[in-house]
Amino acid sequence: MDSSAIEIKNLNVGYNTETDFSLIIKNFNLSIKKGEIFGIAGESGSGKSTLAQAIYRSVKYPGEIESGEVIFKDKDIMKMEANDLRKIRATLFSFIPQAAMNALNPVRKIRYQFYDLLIAHGILPEKNNDKISAVLKMVRLNESVLDNYPHELSGGMRQRTVIAMSILLNPEVVILDEPTTGLDVLVEHEILKDLKNIQRKYGITMIFITHDLAILYEISDRIAMIYAGEIVEFGARDDMLENSTHPYNFLLLKNIPRIGVKMDNIIKLKGNPSNFKENFPGCQFYERCPFSKGECSEKHPDLREYSNEHYYRCIRFPEWKQNV
Amino acid sequence: MRIPIKYIIKKISLFFVVFMGAITVNFALPRMMPGNPAQVVYSQILRAGGSGVSPVYLNQLEVEYGLSKAPLYIQYFQYLDNLFHGNLGVSISYFPEPVSTILAQALPWTLFLVISSITISFFIGNHLGRYAGTNRNTGKDLAIDLFSMFMAAFPAFVLAFIILDIFAVYGNLFPIGGAYGISVNEGLNVPFILSVLYHAFLPALTIILISLGGWVLGMRNNIIPSLNSDFINYSENLGFKKYQIKSIAYRNAILPNMTGFAMSIGLSTSGVIIEESIFSYPGVGMYMINAINSLDYPLIQGIFLMVVIAVLIGNFAVDILYGFLDPRIRQEGD
Ligand SMILES: Nc1ncnc2c1ncn2[C@@H]1O[C@H](COP(=O)(O)OP(=O)(O)OP(=O)(O)O)[C@@H](O)[C@H]1O
Ligand code: SF4
Ligand SMILES: [Mg+2]
């Protein structure tokens, strides 16, 4: 039996600009296993949201999916009929967006937003109040939120509500794009703990996007580090933690911060983050990499396997590690 | 729905304060006029054929215009007393009709015209705007936008003349004036109602066309960000159906237009002044023009007061309506 929940093949995504098209996600390949929490990390602007939206086929203009396949349950999401895609959303495959706090309709009570969701998928709302109560309990919200408008809830409660809506119909795969940004650290960790419990209990496959390294390493089974729209290293959590093969991951880990400190703040790397140099032939990390040599600017590194299912994109591995 | 009592009380008190302010201004204005308006009005009445008026009326006018020797606060209470008994003085040009009688005749026609045309225009405008916004950057959108901008910028009285000329004067399809034909009997009967609609058609068409553009552009500009909002994206992510998504976007986009709606009913009460006189439609607007032409101060003042009240009520209605429609506003009042 096929053990992958999602297969991303040769995905290319970018943005239309006034003059041309700038490619952000380049020839992206990844396979997500059933029942795992797959963490994706990268600095702000590295293309995480673009990737997440592309997987969910919800990229909006000026964004555009240029090519690629996303195989889910033997079907290519990119080629599905609009209505078939609509039907699997929230029922088999869910997406919790980055600005989850603002994702609720401001002029409708939470109860009716849940009802709308049920109606959208042909389910009678009145008979499913129990189901709604159950998911609210899962995210540890009091049922009274149903009679509130979104603005009457705190940011954390709103995010919990969004999570509850996203899992109401028992999806198999959930993408979470920084679901806890904007929350204070304690609330953030509570929500993540709950998410992990739910994930384990129901065997949901989660693709979890963050730029908080501490959270990433705490919650994920496997991890991909992306830089300028490309995977620079990926593998099982422990391998990534103990045997970093790419300087980027290595430097980040060396600086691994207190809980809740975001990647952008701790990275002591010189240069600008992820400035997509489209025609640069070499390694995207070249300008900021303390281990770079001339050769790095000439040839774009391929993704190579280091050990079982642990990949890296660096020309100078393992030599660079001898210098540290 | 929970009734936002606190919010309503707050708005009512505010309305009351502004209302008192407006009628106080109306009290103060003639008292600040130079000369002796009472004498002017009195002699005008004499000239207008009111030879029967006695000098007693001159005294009464002087009281009304604050020329009496009584202390100001006494005058103010007299003025309030008069006002709340509906006593707005006597018209000059329609002597000896009291101003209140004229307003009572004219106001229903104006309200009928304004409310029905603004409602129709609001309905059509919002739907056109929604259509344009959801078909953004297409030829249809462009056509609707251009039309709306053109109409919104078009001078009302020019349009009124054009419509009157085409459909009534040359086309002979509609009457050139009046609120209903002379052959029908006033009352709730079919010929009367038909005649009223027939007579209101051209003035209403003018108001609809003039005000349409604002609704269209307002709605279009609201629904575009609404369609791109986080909550619309999320509804799509949850697999909502098209009609659900459209209704969420529409519901959020129509809120600001709602404010405009009640307000423009108030404002249009003054806005129809020229249109009514062009179409000889016997609303307050037509009387206002006549009053201005014949320097009929009492009538001008009475209409002015009424327009102010209409605008205030419009604003008040908006506040209350908005409180019911937008839960966020409601809470601010708590
Ligand atoms: N609407 C847009 N138009 C043009 N370019 C865009 C647009 N949105 C994103 N980009 C480009 O795509 C790159 C990746 O953006 P994306 O939002 O995917 O980053 P991210 O990793 O999710 O960042 P963050 O952590 O801040 O959410 C950005 O660097 C930006 O240059
Ligand atoms: S290829 Fe060169 S520049 Fe790129 S990460 Fe490796 S060492 Fe650094
Ligand atoms: Mg993002």
Side-chain angles (χ1 to χ4, degrees):
Chain A
M1 215 193 86
D2 188 8
S3 67
S4 67
I6 299 263
E7 283 235 33
I8 304 161
K9 292 183 186 166
N10 301 322
L11 192 60
N12 287 287
V13 194
Y15 290 91
N16 291 293
T17 63
E18 266 153 44
T19 48
D20 58 330
F21 183 76
S22 88
L23 196 61
I24 300 292
I25 302 296
K26 300 169 200 95
N27 212 11
F28 201 95
N29 287 282
L30 185 64
S31 157
I32 312 285
K33 292 178 186 162
K34 278 183 184 153
E36 73 175 336
I37 298 188
F38 193 94
I40 296 179
E43 290 166 283
S44 188
S46 57
K48 304 182 297 296
S49 296
T50 309
L51 174 66
Q53 287 164 16
I55 299 173
Y56 205 67
R57 208 175 126 188
S58 63
V59 173
K60 284 204 164 175
Y61 189 85
E64 191 183 323
I65 300 170
E66 202 184 49
S67 61
E69 293 174 14
V70 174
I71 309 292
F72 172 66
K73 289 188 154 300
D74 301 325
K75 289 209 181 87
D76 181 3
I77 287 182
M78 300 301 152
K79 294 205 181 74
M80 280 172 102
E81 292 287 328
N83 198 42
D84 294 337
L85 180 64
R86 184 188 73 72
K87 283 184 190 156
I88 67 166
R89 287 182 164 183
T91 56
L92 292 173
F93 192 11
S94 276
F95 180 65
I96 298 175
Q98 184 155 4
M101 269 199 276
N102 309 321
L104 298 165
N105 179 359
V107 298
R108 203 156 165 77
K109 280 186 182 166
I110 306 291
R111 177 186 307 281
Y112 299 108
Q113 306 204 31
F114 270 102
Y115 286 180
D116 286 346
L117 170 59
L118 291 166
I119 291 167
H121 295 286
I123 302 165
L124 285 179
E126 292 77 17
K127 293 186 182 158
N128 284 278
N129 283 319
D130 292 349
K131 205 169 184 150
I132 296 172
S133 310
V135 279
L136 287 177
K137 199 173 272 168
M138 267 189 235
V139 297
R140 290 202 279 142
L141 277 176
N142 195 301
E143 252 181 73
S144 65
V145 299
L146 290 175
D147 293 312
N148 287 124
Y149 288 96
H151 73 275
E152 296 169 325
L153 307 177
S154 71
M157 288 163 91
R158 268 180 274 166
Q159 271 163 334
R160 286 175 188 274
T161 306
V162 169
I163 293 170
M165 289 179 84
S166 300
I167 60 174
L168 176 71
L169 301 172
N170 310 319
E172 293 173 16
V173 179
V174 181
I175 305 181
L176 302 102
D177 185 2
E178 309 204 36
T180 52
T181 32
L183 295 185
D184 75 70
V185 184
L186 285 176
V187 179
E188 187 170 16
H189 272 258
E190 258 185 22
I191 293 184
L192 291 175
K193 228 167 50 198
D194 291 342
L195 267 174
K196 185 150 184 167
N197 288 337
I198 294 168
Q199 188 269 343
R200 291 286 186 253
K201 198 161 157 198
Y202 297 92
I204 303 173
T205 306
M206 277 190 185
I207 301 174
F208 187 89
I209 291 170
T210 181
H211 65 272
D212 185 322
L213 271 194
I215 287 175
L216 178 77
Y217 275 95
E218 184 183 312
I219 197 171
S220 317
D221 299 315
R222 288 198 303 153
I223 289 171
M225 200 67 88
I226 70 173
Y227 190 85
E230 284 180 328
I231 291 184
V232 290
E233 180 171 354
F234 96 94
R237 171 193 177 275
D238 293 346
D239 293 341
M240 294 279 289
L241 192 62
E242 282 148 27
N243 297 309
S244 42
T245 50
H246 195 281
Y248 186 55
N249 186 29
F250 173 78
L251 291 167
L252 290 171
L253 284 173
K254 220 172 68 169
N255 289 303
I256 203 161
R258 283 163 288 121
I259 273 166
V261 177
K262 304 284 187 276
M263 213 150 138
D264 310 319
N265 306 336
I266 57 126
I267 191 155
K268 303 284 193 299
L269 302 167
K270 58 184 165 113
N272 298 319
S274 315
N275 41 359
F276 294 84
K277 292 182 294 294
E278 299 222 353
N279 299 315
F280 186 65
C283 170
Q284 293 281 349
F285 193 50
Y286 174 69
E287 279 185 359
R288 297 166 77 194
C289 181
F291 311 108
S292 64
K293 285 267 156 68
E295 51 183 321
C296 302
S297 68
E298 284 153 20
K299 191 176 169 292
H300 185 72
D302 296 322
L303 205 57
R304 292 186 211 157
E305 189 160 10
Y306 162 61
S307 62
N308 185 32
E309 298 208 336
H310 185 181
Y311 293 82
Y312 63 95
R313 192 188 293 279
C314 173
I315 297 167
R316 300 204 56 244
F317 182 80
E319 296 118 88
W320 69 263
K321 267 210 130 165
Q322 287 145 19
N323 301 342
V324 296
Chain B
M1 181 183 282
R2 207 157 33 114
I3 309 263
I5 297 196
K6 261 191 184 163
Y7 176 81
I8 292 179
I9 291 179
K10 191 176 141 189
K11 288 299 169 189
I12 289 180
S13 350
L14 194 68
F15 171 75
F16 190 71
V17 169
V18 180
F19 177 76
M20 287 312 290
I23 61 177
T24 306
V25 167
N26 197 52
F27 166 79
L29 277 181
R31 283 166 179 74
M32 298 193 300
M33 275 197 276
N36 184 340
Q39 189 61 55
V40 174
V41 168
Y42 185 66
S43 49
Q44 269 174 352
I45 288 175
L46 287 180
R47 249 182 283 131
S51 47
V53 284
S54 65
V56 178
Y57 185 60
L58 179 60
N59 289 343
Q60 206 180 315
L61 279 174
E62 285 179 337
V63 172
E64 243 172 67
Y65 285 114
L67 299 161
S68 76
K69 301 287 172 287
L72 212 56
Y73 73 93
I74 302 269
Q75 291 181 35
Y76 186 63
F77 284 113
Q78 270 172 346
Y79 163 80
L80 287 185
D81 186 56
N82 277 336
L83 203 61
F84 288 111
H85 288 93
N87 181 5
L88 299 167
V90 175
S91 159
I92 298 168
S93 44
Y94 297 92
F95 187 82
E97 290 278 6
V99 169
S100 52
T101 312
I102 297 175
L103 287 183
Q105 276 168 12
L107 190 60
W109 291 116
T110 298
L111 288 182
F112 163 68
L113 186 62
V114 165
I115 293 178
S116 53
S117 0
I118 297 287
T119 307
I120 293 171
S121 152
F122 182 77
F123 185 80
I124 301 176
N126 276 311
H127 277 82
L128 271 181
R130 172 190 189 165
Y131 184 80
T134 46
N135 294 285
R136 188 184 176 187
N137 295 336
T138 61
K140 290 168 193 160
D141 176 29
L142 188 69
I144 293 174
D145 294 350
L146 284 178
F147 168 76
S148 305
M149 281 185 246
F150 182 73
M151 286 324 293
F154 209 86
F157 71 97
V158 175
L159 184 70
F161 275 126
I162 293 175
I163 286 182
L164 184 72
D165 273 2
I166 295 179
F167 295 101
V169 179
Y170 298 115
N172 243 332
L173 298 167
F174 289 93
I176 55 168
Y180 53 91
I182 34 169
S183 57
V184 297
N185 298 318
E186 225 173 298
L188 265 184
N189 55 70
V190 177
F192 176 72
I193 292 171
L194 287 179
S195 177
V196 164
L197 294 178
Y198 181 53
H199 281 74
F201 188 85
L202 291 187
L205 181 66
T206 313
I207 300 176
I208 292 171
L209 285 175
I210 287 295
S211 55
L212 194 64
W215 302 130
V216 175
L217 297 173
M219 185 48 162
R220 179 186 181 272
N221 292 343
N222 294 337
I223 203 159
I224 286 173
S226 182
L227 280 170
N228 287 317
S229 63
D230 288 331
F231 52 87
I232 289 298
N233 285 336
Y234 187 56
S235 310
E236 286 170 1
N237 288 347
L238 288 173
F240 276 33
K241 294 185 172 160
K242 269 222 175 71
Y243 81 89
Q244 291 178 305
I245 290 170
K246 277 188 185 166
S247 109
I248 295 174
Y250 189 63
R251 173 85 205 273
N252 277 276
I254 203 169
L255 285 176
N257 262 12
M258 274 307 189
T259 328
F261 178 65
M263 204 134 81
S264 75
I265 286 196
L267 285 173
S268 298
T269 316
S270 67
V272 292
I273 286 176
I274 293 191
E275 280 147 47
E276 282 182 349
S277 74
I278 292 172
F279 288 104
S280 310
Y281 198 79
V284 284
M286 196 185 85
Y287 284 97
M288 183 69 165
I289 297 285
N290 291 344
I292 292 172
N293 283 337
S294 50
L295 292 179
D296 186 344
Y297 285 116
L299 188 53
I300 294 175
Q301 224 187 332
I303 294 177
F304 178 73
L305 184 67
M306 207 208 56
V307 167
V308 170
I309 292 174
V311 173
L312 280 180
I313 291 180
N315 269 318
F316 175 67
V318 170
D319 283 341
I320 296 297
L321 199 68
Y322 216 90
F324 276 98
L325 290 174
D326 190 337
R328 288 163 296 186
I329 303 282
R330 218 180 297 158
Q331 202 192 28
E332 278 167 33
D334 284 353

